[in-house]
Amino acid sequence: MVAGSRDGRMAGAVALVTGGASGIGRATVRRLCEDGAAVVAGDINAAAGAVLLEELTDAGFGQQVAVTGLDVAAEGSVAAAVAATVERFGRLDCLVNNAGIGGAFGPLTEIEVEDWDHTLGVLLRGPFLGLKHAVRVMRAQGTGGSVVNVASVAGWSGGDGPQAYSAAKAGVINLTRSAAVELAPHRIRVNAVCPGPILTPLVHRGREDAMRDRLARLQPWPEHGRPEHVADAIAFLASGEAAFVTGQALAVDGGLSAAGPNTAAAIETNAGGIGLVGVNHGTTGRASLVRRRVEEDRP
Ligand SMILES: NC(=O)c1ccc[n+]([C@@H]2O[C@H](COP(=O)([O-])OP(=O)(O)OC[C@H]3O[C@@H](n4cnc5c(N)ncnc54)[C@H](O)[C@@H]3O)[C@@H](O)[C@H]2O)c1
């Protein structure tokens, strides 16, 4: 177990986290360090990478962490980051495909092709390239491995992000399943996390306080989502505790996707929501039974 580790469940493992310098990636790098892994954070933002390195060195993880420049959309850059990880820490057991941007937005009729392609380049080609190069190393090592792709609830519906972003994240969810099937014989697990809105720089864009309450109201869970919530789920999927879990997309969204669009409230068919309790027999001809909820029942 490495000094400062939480429980050592990733002791001896080496991980590469793309987009590791901010938000969910940054929390994941720290969490994997706490779990005992050696971690390389790859990021296109060199200044943020330098800050992360200083922060984790101050926290006592200097021997376990490294930062490398990386553009996940460029194959040569991804291959170089994987090689740098192996050179620095001797192996690669875990890849977290996390790097992301908001990407192209606006009406479909006005989006520029190059903005669309760039968005998919980062969000979908990126995870493919990560898989391609990391899996080559994992297969050669012959000891299995794990990949966690950071998708989004936006990959499941049409209302959670711009079109290119949602299309890319839907692609990541299915890439996760396809890769899991292909790589299972090599004992390489591939899973995804699908965060709901999380308070990171990508979302608050410098207005952290203003966004905090708005985010908290979005899902059934009373508090807003934090990068650490997602990092905890990634750390679980990356670890041996998820040894028989592969090809899954795990929502980390405070119940947002479970709640759905709340149509019952919109068309007022949920009498329970307006202080009543009983049973609705529909159009069977049987009378419905209704009574007022007692005060103690109310939330
Ligand atoms: N924040 C949310 O609400 C939310 C919700 C669902 C999914 N996600 C996903 O989580 C992931 C992380 O997002 P975040 O909210 O932490 O954002 P963030 O902006 O805080 O961090 C993203 C990091 O990725 C890096 N990056 C961007 N493009 C890159 C590239 N081409 N190559 C390498 N690094 C690159 C950035 O420099 C940054 O450090 C993204 O894939 C995002 O789509 C976020």
Side-chain angles (χ1 to χ4, degrees):
M1 196 186 295
V2 189
S5 71
R6 192 187 299 226
D7 56 17
R9 68 180 177 181
M10 292 287 284
V14 176
L16 170 62
V17 179
T18 75
S22 176
I24 292 167
R26 180 172 150 211
T28 301
V29 172
R30 188 179 185 113
R31 177 63 208 262
L32 293 177
C33 282
E34 288 170 352
D35 285 353
V39 189
V40 173
D43 207 289
I44 204 165
N45 186 334
V51 171
L52 174 80
L53 189 58
E54 200 181 320
E55 202 176 276
L56 289 178
T57 302
D58 288 350
F61 296 113
Q63 297 302 309
Q64 279 168 261
V65 71
V67 168
T68 189
L70 168 65
D71 178 358
V72 293
E75 182 160 20
S77 180
V78 175
V82 168
T85 304
V86 175
E87 195 182 320
R88 176 74 172 79
F89 291 119
R91 53 186 295 113
L92 178 60
D93 306 282
C94 169
L95 168 70
V96 182
N97 277 317
N98 162 79
I101 54 173
F105 59 89
L108 283 168
T109 48
E110 293 179 40
I111 291 173
E112 302 290 348
V113 168
E114 53 268 33
D115 293 338
W116 178 273
D117 286 349
H118 176 65
T119 308
L120 268 79
V122 175
L123 294 177
L124 186 52
R125 191 197 311 148
F128 154 64
L129 291 174
L131 274 160
K132 176 175 176 179
H133 291 279
V135 163
R136 283 181 177 175
V137 174
M138 291 174 188
R139 284 192 57 177
Q141 287 171 175
T143 48
S146 70
V147 178
V148 183
N149 296 323
V150 181
S152 170
V153 293
W156 281 325
S157 76
D160 287 312
Q163 313 87 334
Y165 183 89
S166 287
K169 294 300 189 182
V172 170
I173 292 168
N174 208 275
L175 175 63
T176 299
R177 297 188 184 114
S178 311
V181 171
E182 178 180 331
L183 298 172
H186 304 286
R187 294 190 172 76
I188 297 170
R189 297 180 299 104
V190 188
N191 290 290
V193 289
C194 293
I198 304 294
L199 194 66
T200 71
L202 185 67
V203 169
H204 65 62
R205 286 170 286 174
R207 297 170 301 136
E208 199 167 339
D209 287 341
M211 287 301 275
R212 190 169 279 118
D213 287 346
R214 289 171 72 180
L215 288 188
R217 287 195 296 271
L218 288 176
Q219 72 278 313
W221 197 260
E223 284 87 33
H224 65 81
R226 291 182 288 107
E228 292 75 17
H229 290 136
V230 186
D232 284 348
I234 292 171
F236 162 69
L237 290 170
S239 78
E241 288 173 12
F244 201 50
V245 182
T246 195
Q248 299 305 303
L250 175 65
V252 186
D253 66 352
L256 178 73
S257 51
N262 206 1
T263 50
I267 58 174
E268 295 174 355
T269 55
N270 179 12
I274 53 169
L276 301 177
V277 63
V279 55
N280 176 356
H281 289 295
T283 53
T284 59
R286 282 180 71 190
S288 297
L289 302 172
V290 186
R291 66 174 167 80
R292 251 233 162 262
R293 280 163 57 184
V294 292
E295 198 59 40
E296 295 77 57
D297 284 348
R298 297 200 182 141

